[in-house]
PDB file of all heavy atoms in Angstrom:
ATOM      1  N   SER A   9     216.980 156.195 368.028  1.00 97.00           N
ATOM      2  CA  SER A   9     216.535 155.365 369.156  1.00 97.00           C
ATOM      3  C   SER A   9     217.656 155.065 370.145  1.00 97.00           C
ATOM      4  O   SER A   9     217.408 154.745 371.297  1.00 97.00           O
ATOM      5  CB  SER A   9     215.936 154.064 368.654  1.00 97.00           C
ATOM      6  OG  SER A   9     216.937 153.269 368.063  1.00 97.00           O
ATOM      7  N   HIS A 111     210.676 150.927 365.476  1.00 97.00           N
ATOM      8  CA  HIS A 111     212.078 150.706 365.107  1.00 97.00           C
ATOM      9  C   HIS A 111     212.294 149.334 364.457  1.00 97.00           C
ATOM     10  O   HIS A 111     213.025 149.208 363.474  1.00 97.00           O
ATOM     11  CB  HIS A 111     212.943 150.850 366.366  1.00 97.00           C
ATOM     12  CG  HIS A 111     214.402 150.658 366.131  1.00 97.00           C
ATOM     13  ND1 HIS A 111     215.195 151.633 365.539  1.00 97.00           N
ATOM     14  CD2 HIS A 111     215.223 149.616 366.403  1.00 97.00           C
ATOM     15  CE1 HIS A 111     216.431 151.165 365.470  1.00 97.00           C
ATOM     16  NE2 HIS A 111     216.483 149.949 365.980  1.00 97.00           N
ATOM     17  N   LEU A 112     211.624 148.309 364.992  1.00 96.00           N
ATOM     18  CA  LEU A 112     211.831 146.957 364.443  1.00 96.00           C
ATOM     19  C   LEU A 112     211.135 146.760 363.111  1.00 96.00           C
ATOM     20  O   LEU A 112     211.571 145.952 362.293  1.00 96.00           O
ATOM     21  CB  LEU A 112     211.359 145.901 365.442  1.00 96.00           C
ATOM     22  CG  LEU A 112     212.205 145.799 366.712  1.00 96.00           C
ATOM     23  CD1 LEU A 112     211.626 144.745 367.631  1.00 96.00           C
ATOM     24  CD2 LEU A 112     213.649 145.476 366.391  1.00 96.00           C
ATOM     25  N   HIS A 115     213.765 147.861 360.784  1.00 97.00           N
ATOM     26  CA  HIS A 115     214.740 146.790 360.520  1.00 97.00           C
ATOM     27  C   HIS A 115     214.154 145.726 359.599  1.00 97.00           C
ATOM     28  O   HIS A 115     214.784 145.281 358.639  1.00 97.00           O
ATOM     29  CB  HIS A 115     215.147 146.115 361.836  1.00 97.00           C
ATOM     30  CG  HIS A 115     216.254 146.837 362.565  1.00 97.00           C
ATOM     31  ND1 HIS A 115     217.472 147.105 361.998  1.00 97.00           N
ATOM     32  CD2 HIS A 115     216.318 147.331 363.834  1.00 97.00           C
ATOM     33  CE1 HIS A 115     218.253 147.730 362.882  1.00 97.00           C
ATOM     34  NE2 HIS A 115     217.571 147.880 364.004  1.00 97.00           N
ATOM     35  N   SER A 136     218.930 141.899 366.683  1.00 95.00           N
ATOM     36  CA  SER A 136     219.536 143.199 366.967  1.00 95.00           C
ATOM     37  C   SER A 136     220.108 143.191 368.375  1.00 95.00           C
ATOM     38  O   SER A 136     220.179 142.153 369.035  1.00 95.00           O
ATOM     39  CB  SER A 136     218.488 144.301 366.809  1.00 95.00           C
ATOM     40  OG  SER A 136     217.568 144.228 367.872  1.00 95.00           O
ATOM     41  N   CYS A 298     222.006 147.036 358.092  1.00 97.00           N
ATOM     42  CA  CYS A 298     221.685 146.032 359.124  1.00 97.00           C
ATOM     43  C   CYS A 298     221.587 146.735 360.463  1.00 97.00           C
ATOM     44  O   CYS A 298     220.662 146.529 361.234  1.00 97.00           O
ATOM     45  CB  CYS A 298     222.776 144.969 359.198  1.00 97.00           C
ATOM     46  SG  CYS A 298     222.658 143.735 357.917  1.00 97.00           S
ATOM     47  N   THR A 299     222.588 147.581 360.752  1.00 96.00           N
ATOM     48  CA  THR A 299     222.575 148.332 362.016  1.00 96.00           C
ATOM     49  C   THR A 299     221.679 149.559 361.836  1.00 96.00           C
ATOM     50  O   THR A 299     221.171 149.818 360.737  1.00 96.00           O
ATOM     51  CB  THR A 299     224.008 148.734 362.406  1.00 96.00           C
ATOM     52  OG1 THR A 299     224.673 149.183 361.231  1.00 96.00           O
ATOM     53  CG2 THR A 299     224.779 147.560 362.966  1.00 96.00           C
ATOM     54  N   ASP A 300     221.474 150.308 362.918  1.00 97.00           N
ATOM     55  CA  ASP A 300     220.510 151.410 362.896  1.00 97.00           C
ATOM     56  C   ASP A 300     220.838 152.444 361.817  1.00 97.00           C
ATOM     57  O   ASP A 300     222.006 152.796 361.628  1.00 97.00           O
ATOM     58  CB  ASP A 300     220.480 152.076 364.273  1.00 97.00           C
ATOM     59  CG  ASP A 300     219.927 151.137 365.322  1.00 97.00           C
ATOM     60  OD1 ASP A 300     219.335 150.099 364.938  1.00 97.00           O
ATOM     61  OD2 ASP A 300     220.071 151.432 366.516  1.00 97.00           O
ATOM     62  N   MET A 304     215.908 152.975 356.688  1.00 98.00           N
ATOM     63  CA  MET A 304     214.854 151.997 356.989  1.00 98.00           C
ATOM     64  C   MET A 304     213.627 152.689 357.591  1.00 98.00           C
ATOM     65  O   MET A 304     212.493 152.264 357.377  1.00 98.00           O
ATOM     66  CB  MET A 304     215.380 150.897 357.924  1.00 98.00           C
ATOM     67  CG  MET A 304     215.771 151.369 359.309  1.00 98.00           C
ATOM     68  SD  MET A 304     216.509 150.039 360.288  1.00 98.00           S
ATOM     69  CE  MET A 304     216.413 150.732 361.946  1.00 98.00           C
TER      70      MET A 304
HETATM   71 ZN1   ZN B   2     218.128 148.688 365.778  1.00 63.72          ZN
END
Side-chain angles (χ1 to χ4, degrees):
S9 68
H111 180 76
L112 292 179
H115 276 304
S136 72
C298 280
T299 43
D300 294 346
M304 65 185 196

